[in-house]
Amino acid sequence: MPAAQTIAIVLAAGMGTRMRSDTPKVMHQLAGMPLVDHVLAGLSAAGITKATVVLGPEMADQTARFAPHNTVIQTERLGTGHAVKVALDAYDPSESDVLVVYADTPLLTTETINALLEQKRNDAAVAVLGFRPDDPGAYGRLITQGDQLESIVEAADASTDELKIELCNSGVLVANGQKLGAWVNALKNDNTKGEFYLTHVVALARADNEACVFTEGEVDELVGINNRADLAVAEGIVQNRYRAAVMAAGVTLQDPASVFLCHDTTFGTDVEVGPFTVFGPGVVIGSHVTIKGFCHFENATIGDRAVVGPYARLRPGAELDEGAHIGNFVEIKNARIEQGAKVNHLSYVGDARVGQGANVGAGTITANYDGFNKSKTNIGAGASIGSNTVLVAPVNVGDGAITGAGTVVRKDVPDNAIAVSEAAQRNREGTADAYRAQKKAVKESNGKDS
Ligand code: UD1
Ligand code: MG
């Protein structure tokens, strides 16, 4: 049966108490994307584009974000078997196979989903994906006989011998839709946790003499996220996958382990990224870009041949055109730095345009906020902004204009004009030695007193 005839149910209603969080567990993020969205993306890559997502009541106002998937609210969290029952009651799978995945198991790959569906096709009523974690701990154990799966026993209900079984339940299961409906209706909650376990379906299927099979997946794909430590482990796995993918696509990561990517980071070719750089959401990088280390980016666009960092911060709305240079300790927010323009040292450029080929000197600040409104600074093409210029927005600096060092620009500077605002400098000739002698004497007399 092709994947298109498989209906998926995504269980995402659990309380996630072990996360100790006000945020529902499935909305915690890996590489900038909620766990549940990782699961849905994996399903979609396997050709399953419509799923029923079972949500807890606290997410009842978020159903729209799941479109085009169906959603159903599990008002009382009575266990994974009950969650599947709620989904099947709302959306009849008719003749389809039903693939159940847990939203707290977000690293599942397309290949593994397809392998399990293939296994199910060999006339079995149920196929379960098992795995062998380093520490089987609280995972359910698969009770097998030859290549037949007999039952799944939850750790809390397992005997000492059963706890020694290394083959665990990943939570991923595919079953004949009609039969699964009957089995989840027949589940009982007479177990340690008093829950309706989906895992008990296997024993019910075997009691009906139906074939149940299992296959094994990789640990890295099947870690379940139940607490913050699990979340950190999963983040590491996701980051390693993304790092490998971008390197395969032509990006040099000088020290991959210290570069953090987001699910939507996009690179052109021949980009070089130095160590300790964080890509937040919405970052688009062109080709032949050099990113020196220790940078932080979010919702920013970096054009071809731009050079950024080290220690640069690009905040939302930063747009660097081709060949722009952004240097150390420079923060750019909601500003376009046009072709070949340079902001190389110790500057804040916010709500601004820096025209083509302009040079912004060290320590330049756009004073964009008066405590009430944000205002715009517009720097013309080829302008030269002197060190420590303060541009009090709203203000325009014309094409080819120059501002002197330390200028506070409060009114527009016309094209090709030079703006200076410094107070006249006074030199007191030959007074430096006397000044130093006086300072020294004061310091020595203070020392005697103490
Ligand atoms: C479950 C399995 C266990 C397996 C492990 C794999 C059961 C009974 N146990 O245990 O065999 O080894 O996953 O990670 O299935 N959920 C609901 N509604 C509920 C309860 C849970 O939607 O009423 C959802 C949760 O959001 C979560 C998933 O189901 O995404 C699994 O629930 P969880 O409580 O994490 O089960 P585990 O104890 O991890
Ligand atoms: Mg779990």
Side-chain angles (χ1 to χ4, degrees), residues 18 25 102 104-105 139 224-226:
R18 288 166 280 180
K25 173 164 79 173
Y102 295 172
D104 73 348
T105 309
Y139 289 111
I225 296 173
N226 295 309

Side-chain angles (χ1 to χ4, degrees), residues 26-369:
V26 299
M27 296 305 287
H28 281 261
Q29 299 195 344
L30 291 179
M33 183 158 85
L35 303 182
V36 62
D37 291 347
H38 280 273
V39 172
L40 292 169
L43 291 176
S44 147
I48 302 172
T49 49
K50 195 144 187 183
T52 299
V53 186
V54 183
L55 298 170
E58 69 286 337
M59 285 184 68
D61 58 348
Q62 293 190 51
T63 55
R65 77 178 293 291
F66 291 99
H69 301 293
N70 300 319
T71 50
V72 51
I73 305 299
Q74 186 191 17
T75 320
E76 280 187 293
R77 283 175 261 236
L78 302 178
T80 49
H82 178 257
V84 169
K85 177 178 155 46
V86 171
L88 292 177
D89 286 350
Y91 297 97
D92 181 0
S94 62
E95 296 303 310
S96 305
D97 276 351
V98 173
L99 170 70
V100 180
V101 289
Y102 295 172
D104 73 348
T105 309
L107 305 176
L108 197 59
T109 64
T110 313
E111 295 74 32
T112 305
I113 293 173
N114 286 335
L116 185 69
L117 296 180
E118 188 59 43
Q119 182 87 345
K120 160 73 181 64
R121 252 163 249 146
N122 304 328
D123 272 352
V126 180
V128 168
L129 183 60
F131 72 130
R132 294 177 192 272
D134 295 340
D135 174 15
Y139 289 111
R141 308 297 203 273
L142 301 194
I143 312 292
T144 59
Q145 199 145 51
D147 52 10
Q148 188 73 224
L149 177 62
E150 293 298 331
S151 63
I152 303 176
V153 55
E154 288 305 302
D157 302 301
S159 67
T160 319
D161 275 349
E162 285 167 337
L163 285 175
K164 287 182 189 146
I165 297 171
E166 290 170 352
L167 184 59
C168 292
N169 174 30
S170 69
V172 184
L173 166 156
V174 57
N176 172 290
Q178 292 287 296
K179 291 173 183 166
L180 182 63
W183 292 324
V184 293
N185 280 327
L187 288 173
K188 300 217 162 40
N189 63 351
D190 52 352
N191 50 54
T192 311
K193 289 191 182 168
E195 288 184 1
F196 296 94
Y197 294 156
L198 177 63
T199 45
H200 193 55
V201 152
V202 174
L204 295 177
R206 289 302 293 136
D208 283 352
N209 251 326
E210 295 282 359
C212 296
V213 293
F214 62 96
T215 182
E216 274 189 58
E218 296 294 324
V219 177
D220 269 9
E221 290 189 34
L222 297 170
V223 282
I225 296 173
N226 295 309
N227 54 46
R228 309 267 183 164
D230 296 336
L231 188 69
V233 168
E235 179 77 42
I237 295 169
V238 169
Q239 288 297 336
N240 280 335
R241 280 187 193 171
Y242 290 172
R243 290 161 185 154
V246 301
M247 288 190 283
V251 176
T252 294
L253 302 181
Q254 202 181 343
D255 174 29
S258 69
V259 174
F260 290 82
L261 300 161
C262 211
H263 67 99
D264 61 353
T265 311
T266 62
F267 290 94
T269 52
D270 284 323
V271 176
E272 293 195 15
V273 182
F276 299 100
T277 290
V278 176
F279 295 86
V283 178
V284 177
I285 302 117
S287 292
H288 304 282
V289 169
T290 303
I291 297 165
K292 298 174 182 176
F294 304 93
C295 291
H296 192 283
F297 306 136
E298 56 185 318
N299 292 307
T301 305
I302 302 177
D304 294 347
R305 274 170 272 279
V307 179
V308 185
Y311 302 99
R313 179 168 183 211
L314 301 182
R315 290 178 51 208
E319 274 186 66
L320 312 188
D321 286 354
E322 186 173 354
H325 284 214
I326 302 300
N328 43 247
F329 309 109
V330 172
E331 174 181 343
I332 309 282
K333 185 220 74 174
N334 188 33
R336 181 159 185 185
I337 313 300
E338 293 183 358
Q339 196 178 352
K342 293 180 179 164
V343 189
N344 270 337
H345 325 272
L346 300 157
S347 289
Y348 170 63
V349 177
D351 301 309
R353 165 206 169 226
V354 177
Q356 187 175 341
N359 186 70
V360 175
T364 294
I365 302 291
T366 54
N368 62 326
Y369 185 50

